[in-house]
Amino acid sequence: MLFRSQGTWPPTKWRRPPPHRPPTHVRGGMDQYEKLGILGRGSYGVALLARPKGSKAPSHGDDASLLVIKETDLSQLTPAKRKETQNEADVLRSLSHVNVISYIATFLDSGKLYIVMEYAEHGALSDHIKALRSRATQADESFIWKCMLQVSSGLAAIHAHRVIHRDIKSANILITGEQKDRKSTRLN
């Protein structure tokens, strides 16, 4: 959960947050996407695996067209939670960093808010840790250092925009494979 700090820190001489902008809407809503499955459920909604309609099915190792769509039924939320959910979309739109999951679009469809984001093909760090435990092995020290550096870099970018990530945990640290045969971690 991301939320923009309303306090007076950092000093006003630092860069101000971007002005409030309405969500970026994509044409047509969910009818532009093909749902491929459910990735998970959270307290506010469902994370769907999807791809734009008309894109070819990904071949083995080619997940470029896959997306995650976070679906939230606004009618089930209190006004305060509805505002918090819409604020999360605004905050995600304002962030752009190699170690923060990429925001693509936001739209309303049938009373539901949809946030379209980049898909992390290697899943969450928590799943990686569980797999290591099940095999009774340990992570490579270089992988651990790389994760820590990339998470720190992502957090620094988020904090530079006066945003606080209130749910940092291994399930919200996602692993992508942008570089050939090299994994990269990103904050969600």
Side-chain angles (χ1 to χ4, degrees):
M1 180 61 58
L2 299 171
F3 109 99
R4 191 172 305 282
S5 171
Q6 300 298 320
T8 57
W9 193 91
T12 55
K13 67 180 181 177
W14 289 17
R15 193 171 82 187
R16 295 198 184 283
H20 174 74
R21 294 174 290 184
T24 304
H25 294 283
V26 293
R27 57 186 164 81
M30 275 308 289
D31 60 347
Q32 298 296 312
Y33 298 95
E34 177 184 356
K35 292 182 189 177
L36 301 175
I38 296 176
L39 294 173
R41 296 184 186 277
S43 55
Y44 294 130
V46 179
L48 305 168
L49 179 63
R51 72 171 164 246
K53 283 189 177 169
S55 66
K56 66 175 190 154
S59 60
H60 181 69
D62 176 26
D63 296 328
S65 67
L66 296 177
L67 303 167
V68 173
I69 302 177
K70 187 175 177 182
E71 175 188 82
T72 306
D73 188 351
L74 296 177
S75 67
Q76 302 297 315
L77 301 178
T78 65
K81 294 292 184 190
R82 192 175 305 130
K83 183 175 172 76
E84 186 177 308
T85 301
Q86 291 171 331
N87 181 52
E88 180 181 3
D90 291 341
V91 168
L92 281 170
R93 189 174 349 103
S94 72
L95 300 173
S96 178
H97 188 270
V98 68
N99 297 117
V100 177
I101 284 292
S102 297
Y103 164 90
I104 296 169
T106 302
F107 58 90
L108 293 168
D109 191 356
S110 303
K112 295 180 180 178
L113 177 70
Y114 294 90
I115 302 173
V116 184
M117 298 176 285
E118 161 190 25
Y119 172 64
E121 61 271 19
H122 297 291
L125 181 59
S126 60
D127 296 333
H128 184 71
I129 293 168
K130 286 177 193 170
L132 288 171
R133 284 185 183 159
S134 71
R135 293 190 308 251
T137 59
Q138 295 180 342
D140 212 29
E141 184 178 351
S142 63
F143 175 76
I144 295 168
W145 278 109
K146 188 170 146 183
C147 283
M148 292 302 298
L149 289 170
Q150 291 175 354
V151 168
S152 297
S153 177
L155 277 174
I158 290 171
H159 291 167
H161 283 82
R162 296 182 63 192
V163 173
I164 298 171
H165 192 302
R166 299 187 299 176
D167 197 19
I168 299 171
K169 58 186 178 185
S170 59
N172 287 337
I173 298 171
L174 304 176
I175 304 172
T176 64
E178 285 189 341
Q179 301 164 351
K180 186 176 182 180
D181 299 326
R182 297 180 71 175
K183 294 179 181 175
S184 174
T185 55
R186 295 181 179 222
L187 283 171
N188 179 23

